[in-house]
Amino acid sequence: MTGVLTADAIAPASGPGAGVIKSGYDPALTNGDLAPLRTQTWTGYNFFAFWMSDVHSVGGYVFAGSLFALGLSAWQVLLALVVGIAAVYWLCNLVARPSQQAGVPYPVTARIAFGVRGANLPAVIRGLIAVAWYGIQTYLASAAFVLLAIKFDPSLSRYGNADDYGFLGLSLLGWAGFLLMWALQAAVFWNGMEAIRRFIDFCGPAVYAVMLALALYLVVAAGWQNVHFDLASGPPKTGFAAAATIVSAIALVISYFSGPMLNFGDFARYGRSFDEVKRGNFLGLPLNFLFFAVLVVCTVSAGTTVIGRDADGTAITDPVLIVDKIDNTTAAVLGVLTFAIATIGINIVANFVSPAFDFSNLAPTRISWRAGGMIAAVGSILITPWNLYNNPGTIHDTLDTLGAVIGPLFGILIADFYFVRRRTIEVDDLFTLSPAGAYFYRGGINPVAVAATAVGAALAIAVVIWGSTYLASFTWFLGAGIGFVLYLLGMRSVPAHVIYGRSRSAPSVQ
C-alpha cells in the first residue's frame, strides 16, 4: 500500500471483518466494513470451498446438464467445458488482484476507474442484479422444502395451490418455504464473514459427499450399462454447426460465471496472499467444475432410467425434481435438504455479500454492511421473484438486460488496473474527497468510465433485445470488449481537463 498514514482507529471486528480507518479518510467514503482489512487470513482451501459452494446449486446442475444436451458429442462438451472454465479461472485471477492487493471490496476498487463518487454507478448496477438473482435463487431452493413437506404429509398439497391459498401469486406453502429459506440465509449472513467462511468450508465438501452418494445410488439402481455421457437427442452436430455450438457453449460457461467473477473481489480481499487466491481458484474452478460436470451427467443419465423423462421426452436436469421422484424416502429427503443447503451457500456468496458492500458504499455513515445486506434481502421479497421466474418475457427483459451491463464493468476494471495504472493503487486516495486525490477526477467522477459503461451496456442490451438467441450468449464479451477498448482509448486520448478538471493534470498513463 502506498501513502501510508498513521492509523487513527481499527474498526472493531464486525460483519465483514476489522478495517483500518486512517487519518484523512473522509466519513462520506469510509466505514469499518469498507476500509482496508487489518489482517487477510483466507487460504487456498477457503477459496476452493467458495467455488464448491458457488458451483453446487440447483441452477448449476440445470446449467451443466443443458450443455450436455446441445447436440454435441461427449468430447466436444468436454472441450467446451475445459476452455470455458480455464478462461473463467484466468479472468477471476485478474479481478482478484486489485482487491487482494488493497484489502478492499469491489465497490471501493471501482473508485480507481470510476472515481470516488462515480463508483456508486457500478455499485448500484451490481446491487440490483444481485437482488434479483438472490430472490430467484431463494425461490428455487424453497421449492425443495415444499416438495419435502408434501412428501411427508400429502394433505398439505392443497396449500400449494396459489389460486385457493395464495398471495401475490405464491401459494401459502410456497410462502412458508420461501420465508424459511430467506430466514436461514439471513441468519448465516448476520453472523458475519467469518460465519460465512465456516459455512462454505463445511458445506462445499458436505454437499459433494451427499451428491456422490446420490449419484452412486442412481447408477447402481440404473445399472452402469445404462449410464451414458451423451444426453443429446437427435443426430450429432458436425462441421461448422458443431464448431459454432462449441463456441456458444464456451461463451455460456463464461457468461454463467460473469456475476461471481465481478463479485470475486469482495472475497479475494481476504486472501492471505495472491498465490493463495490462485491456488484456491485452480482447485475450485478447472478441477472442481469438471468433476462436478461428470457427476451431473451421471446423475441425470442414471436418473432417466430410474425415474424416467419428463412429459416431452427430455432428460430431467433439475435435481430437486430428480430426488422428489425417487421412491427411497431417505434418499429423497437427504437430496432435497442437500440442495437447499447448497443453494444457501451459493446465494450468500454470489448474491448476498456483494450487494451488502454495494449499498454500504452508497452511504457509508448510514448503511453498514449488515444493513446493506438486509436491504437486499427485503428487496428480494418485494420483487416477488416467483412471478419474475415464471414469466419468461419479464425475466428476459429484466435479468438479461441487467446482466448485459456486467461486461463493461469488468472490461473497465481490467483496462484501468492493468493497462492504465500498471497495478499500482494509492489506497489512501480511495477514501478522500480531496481534489488532489488520485481518484477524484472531475468532481469525484471519471466521465470516461461512465461513457464507456453507457456505450458498452447499450450495445449489449441491444443484442439481448433484438439479436438472436445465439448472439445473446455473447453479450458479456461484447460489453466487456467495448468497455475495455473505449476506456483505454478515452484515458489515452481525451484531454486531461475533461477527465480531471482544469485544475488537475493527468497522471502518467502507459
Side-chain angles (χ1 to χ4, degrees):
M1 298 181 184
T2 59
V4 176
L5 302 174
T6 302
D8 277 354
I10 296 178
S14 58
V20 179
I21 300 177
K22 300 178 180 178
S23 61
Y25 282 14
D26 196 298
L29 299 172
T30 314
N31 61 29
D33 302 327
L34 300 174
L37 290 172
R38 177 179 57 176
T39 57
Q40 296 166 286
T41 59
W42 282 33
T43 65
Y45 174 78
N46 299 133
F47 292 106
F48 175 37
F50 166 89
W51 287 116
M52 279 194 286
S53 294
D54 199 50
V55 166
H56 233 310
S57 68
V58 175
Y61 260 78
V62 174
F63 170 72
S66 70
L67 292 182
F68 282 91
L70 289 175
L72 299 173
S73 63
W75 75 265
Q76 290 170 330
V77 173
L78 181 62
L79 174 64
L81 289 172
V82 169
V83 175
I85 207 64
V88 171
Y89 164 72
W90 178 66
L91 293 171
C92 279
N93 287 342
L94 292 180
V95 171
R97 185 181 284 274
S99 286
Q100 192 282 324
Q101 181 175 323
V104 297
Y106 169 79
V108 178
T109 304
R111 295 174 186 176
I112 301 173
F114 284 85
V116 289
R117 288 194 176 108
N120 285 330
L121 173 63
V124 168
I125 291 171
R126 202 179 68 143
L128 291 175
I129 295 171
V131 168
W133 276 116
Y134 178 77
I136 289 174
Q137 288 278 18
T138 301
Y139 166 66
L140 290 176
S142 70
F145 283 109
V146 171
L147 292 174
L148 189 61
I150 294 175
K151 183 173 286 288
F152 275 100
D153 187 356
S155 66
L156 293 174
S157 61
R158 67 177 184 273
Y159 298 108
N161 188 329
D163 294 330
D164 298 330
Y165 301 94
F167 176 66
L168 295 178
L170 186 64
S171 68
L172 182 62
L173 200 57
W175 270 106
F178 181 84
L179 292 178
L180 176 61
M181 280 294 299
W182 188 93
L184 289 174
Q185 293 172 112
V188 175
F189 169 83
W190 192 260
N191 281 284
M193 189 62 75
E194 186 61 20
I196 293 172
R197 183 191 64 78
R198 290 195 299 267
F199 183 82
I200 61 178
D201 281 355
F202 168 76
C203 287
V207 168
Y208 255 122
V210 174
M211 291 317 301
L212 274 170
L214 177 63
L216 288 173
Y217 169 82
L218 289 171
V219 168
V220 170
W224 181 250
Q225 69 277 9
N226 294 315
V227 177
H228 308 286
F229 282 82
D230 262 338
L231 300 180
S233 57
K237 289 184 172 67
T238 58
F240 177 79
T245 305
I246 291 172
V247 172
S248 177
I250 294 171
L252 286 172
V253 172
I254 298 173
S255 297
Y256 178 78
F257 285 97
S258 61
M261 280 194 300
L262 187 65
N263 297 346
F264 189 58
D266 297 327
F267 299 90
R269 72 182 297 218
Y270 297 95
R272 190 163 59 186
S273 68
F274 186 59
D275 286 339
E276 293 281 2
V277 176
K278 290 192 297 183
R279 186 178 301 112
N281 284 353
F282 180 76
L283 293 173
L285 286 169
L287 296 183
N288 170 56
F289 188 73
L290 289 176
F291 180 74
F292 167 75
V294 173
L295 188 63
V296 169
V297 75
C298 287
T299 302
V300 173
S301 180
T304 59
T305 300
V306 177
I307 65 173
R309 297 173 176 263
D310 61 16
D312 59 5
T314 58
I316 299 174
T317 57
D318 187 331
V320 175
L321 296 180
I322 291 175
V323 297
D324 181 56
K325 294 179 179 295
I326 293 177
D327 290 333
N328 188 306
T329 302
T330 301
V333 170
L334 191 59
V336 167
L337 290 177
T338 297
F339 279 109
I341 293 172
T343 304
I344 290 175
I346 185 178
N347 223 9
I348 289 175
V349 300
N351 302 315
F352 210 154
V353 170
S354 295
F357 283 122
D358 292 329
F359 295 138
S360 180
N361 188 74
L362 298 178
T365 58
R366 294 187 292 273
I367 304 176
S368 67
W369 179 77
R370 283 194 175 97
M374 296 316 296
I375 290 172
V378 172
S380 72
I381 299 176
L382 297 178
I383 64 171
T384 61
W386 45 90
N387 292 322
L388 190 65
Y389 182 77
N390 291 326
N391 188 323
T394 301
I395 198 170
H396 169 81
D397 294 338
T398 304
L399 296 180
D400 287 355
T401 299
L402 288 173
V405 187
I406 292 179
L409 301 182
F410 186 95
I412 290 168
L413 172 67
I414 300 305
D416 185 80
F417 181 71
Y418 289 95
F419 294 91
V420 176
R421 305 287 174 179
R422 296 293 182 178
R423 301 185 183 181
T424 62
I425 304 176
E426 300 289 340
V427 177
D428 296 327
D429 286 358
L430 292 169
F431 299 93
T432 179
L433 286 172
S434 168
Y439 313 116
F440 189 74
Y441 295 103
R442 175 181 283 270
I445 300 173
N446 183 356
V448 172
V450 174
T453 300
V455 175
L459 293 177
I461 290 171
V463 172
V464 170
I465 297 175
W466 294 295
S468 65
T469 302
Y470 181 80
L471 290 177
S473 63
F474 296 94
T475 53
W476 183 88
F477 299 89
L478 178 65
I482 292 174
F484 179 93
V485 171
L486 290 183
Y487 183 83
L488 200 57
L489 291 177
M491 294 301 289
R492 290 178 172 176
S493 59
V494 173
H497 70 84
V498 175
I499 302 175
Y500 301 96
R502 295 189 181 278
S503 61
R504 293 284 311 280
S505 59
S508 176
V509 176
Q510 301 298 323

